[in-house]
Amino acid sequence: MRQPCYIDLNQARQVLAEMGVELNERQMKRAADKDATGSRKLPFFVDPIDGKLRIEKGTLVKIYMDAQGEAENSARF
């Protein structure tokens, strides 16, 4: 079983940058903040120990891979 790797906002930005998705701090924060309905664009959670927003690294990468797969499946060749 794979051990989870929880990362903060800045580390998530770095992971996405390595994948070619360049976001500034404000864009990343907007994706992590709750909207009017209480939902987040990405599944960040508040760390119960230090109160920082965190996300599991594999989940973040999977979200982008799934989005790419959906785009490829919906493309007309």
Side-chain angles (χ1 to χ4, degrees):
M1 187 168 146
R2 186 177 62 85
Q3 190 79 336
C5 176
Y6 298 107
I7 56 177
D8 63 20
L9 280 171
N10 286 328
Q11 293 167 323
R13 254 182 78 215
Q14 290 174 340
V15 168
L16 292 175
E18 290 170 4
M19 294 171 49
V21 180
E22 300 278 340
L23 300 174
N24 62 36
E25 288 180 31
R26 183 176 176 172
Q27 289 171 312
M28 197 68 210
K29 181 133 176 60
R30 286 183 63 206
D33 284 344
K34 291 183 179 180
D35 63 12
T37 64
S39 303
R40 299 181 197 276
K41 289 182 183 177
L42 295 173
F44 280 88
F45 65 94
V46 178
D47 186 311
I49 295 173
D50 64 9
K52 292 183 180 180
L53 287 173
R54 303 233 184 250
I55 190 170
E56 203 281 318
K57 183 178 178 180
T59 300
L60 179 63
V61 172
K62 184 178 180 324
I63 288 168
Y64 275 82
M65 291 175 62
D66 289 349
Q68 176 187 349
E70 287 177 25
E72 289 173 356
N73 291 335
S74 68
R76 296 181 187 183
F77 294 103

